[in-house]
Amino acid sequence: AQKVTQAQTEISVVEKEDVTLDCVYETRDTTYYLFWYKQPPSGELVFLIRRNSFDEQNEISGRYSWNFQKSTSSFNFTITASQVVDSAVYFCALSEAWLDSGAGSYQLTFGKGTKLSVIP
Amino acid sequence: DAGVIQSPRHEVTEMGQEVTLRCKPISGHDYLFWYRQTMMRGLELLIYFNNNVPIDDSGMPEDRFSAKMPNASFSTLKIQPSEPRDSAVYFCASSLELRIEQFFGPGTRLTVL
C-alpha cells in the first residue's frame, strides 16, 4: 500500500540553524513522483519540488536542498540557515498512477506534515 | 498569471444547510482536484476531473457530497445537507498532467454549526 511517513510532528530551531525534515515512503510501483509542499500560517499550499523515481540526483535551490535515496525510500528536505519566514507546515507527498485491467487509477498520498517553527 | 481561485474563503453555516464551494483552475490545466484538510485526517483527495469529466470520486465521504465541472474554468463542490463533521478546509488544485505537481487554491474554511 502507498504510504508517506513524516515522523517529525514538530520541530523548533533557532534562526540561522540548519534543519532537515524527514520523509519515508512506501510504494508498490517502480514509477512514481515525490513532492514537497509548504503550508505557511496563512494556509495556502505552496509547491516546492517534484522528483521522479528515476532521478536520484540531489537538488539545491537557494537555501533548500533535497536528498532522494531510493535505497532507503527517503526524500529528505534540508533548509540551510533557517529564517523566521520558513516557519510553516511542510508536507511530503507521493504520486502513483497505474493501469489495472484496463482501468486507470491514481493516488496522491500526503504525509501528516512537519510543523517547523523558526525562533528569532 | 492567476493561480487557482476559490470562493468563498470562509463559510459559516448551520447544520442542514446546503453549501457550495467554487473553484476556477489555472487556465490550460486539464486536471482538477478537490481535497479536504482536517487535523484528524490530514489532506484527503475527494474527487478529480480530467477535461471536465469526473474520473475518481472514491474519496467523496458520502452521498451528501457532490462535485461538478460544467466547463474547463469552473467547478463546484456541494454539500447537502451539511453536518458539523464537514467542518474543514477544502482545497481545489489543478495540474497540467495527472502525476505531476498540483497547484492549490487558497482554500475555503468551512464551519458548520
Side-chain angles (χ1 to χ4, degrees):
Chain A
Q2 183 172 278
K3 187 177 176 182
V4 176
T5 301
Q6 295 180 254
Q8 305 148 308
T9 306
E10 292 193 39
I11 301 176
S12 288
V13 297
V14 177
E15 200 171 20
K16 299 184 183 176
E17 286 184 348
D18 299 347
V19 58
T20 295
L21 309 182
D22 298 332
C23 173
V24 174
Y25 62 92
E26 295 176 29
T27 177
R28 69 180 189 182
D29 213 343
T30 56
T31 303
Y32 51 89
Y33 289 88
L34 294 161
F35 307 87
W36 276 95
Y37 283 86
K38 174 182 179 180
Q39 187 172 39
S42 51
E44 72 273 25
L45 277 157
V46 179
F47 164 72
L48 295 178
I49 190 171
R50 167 184 30 129
R51 173 68 68 225
N52 75 51
S53 53
F54 296 115
D55 182 2
E56 287 196 68
Q57 276 193 332
N58 292 330
E59 181 152 343
I60 298 174
S61 175
R63 296 183 297 107
Y64 295 172
S65 62
W66 291 269
N67 182 2
F68 176 32
Q69 301 253 352
K70 262 180 112 167
S71 59
T72 56
S73 297
S74 65
F75 186 41
N76 296 336
F77 173 28
T78 297
I79 302 174
T80 304
S82 60
Q83 300 177 1
V84 173
V85 292
D86 296 327
S87 297
V89 179
Y90 291 87
F91 292 94
C92 181
L94 168 67
S95 165
E96 290 180 304
W98 60 92
L99 294 175
D100 289 329
S101 304
S105 185
Y106 168 74
Q107 276 189 303
L108 176 64
T109 302
F110 283 85
K112 295 295 186 186
T114 297
K115 182 177 181 181
L116 174 65
S117 298
V118 181
I119 303 163
Chain B
D1 286 341
V4 176
I5 299 172
Q6 290 186 249
S7 64
R9 294 294 307 278
H10 301 273
E11 176 81 29
V12 179
T13 191
E14 293 190 346
M15 184 173 63
Q17 296 298 307
E18 177 180 295
V19 175
T20 300
L21 311 181
R22 297 172 176 79
C23 174
K24 176 179 168 55
I26 294 172
S27 178
H29 282 193
D30 290 338
Y31 288 87
L32 182 139
F33 306 82
W34 282 101
Y35 290 87
R36 179 172 68 175
Q37 185 179 36
T38 61
M39 288 296 294
M40 292 298 295
R41 301 175 67 90
L43 272 158
E44 303 173 279
L45 176 63
L46 301 177
I47 185 172
Y48 76 93
F49 295 82
N50 177 27
N51 292 324
N52 315 337
V53 177
I55 302 301
D56 186 352
D57 65 353
S58 59
M60 297 284 260
E62 45 196 280
D63 292 345
R64 298 184 297 106
F65 287 68
S66 63
K68 293 182 180 179
M69 192 166 184
N71 58 63
S73 59
F74 184 65
S75 177
T76 59
L77 178 67
K78 186 175 292 187
I79 308 172
Q80 167 62 22
S82 58
E83 297 183 3
R85 60 193 167 120
D86 302 330
S87 297
V89 179
Y90 291 81
F91 286 100
C92 176
S94 69
S95 67
L96 280 168
E97 299 172 17
L98 179 58
R99 301 175 65 182
I100 64 173
E101 59 274 15
Q102 299 172 18
F103 294 91
F104 285 75
T108 295
R109 182 173 296 276
L110 173 65
T111 303
V112 183
L113 303 174

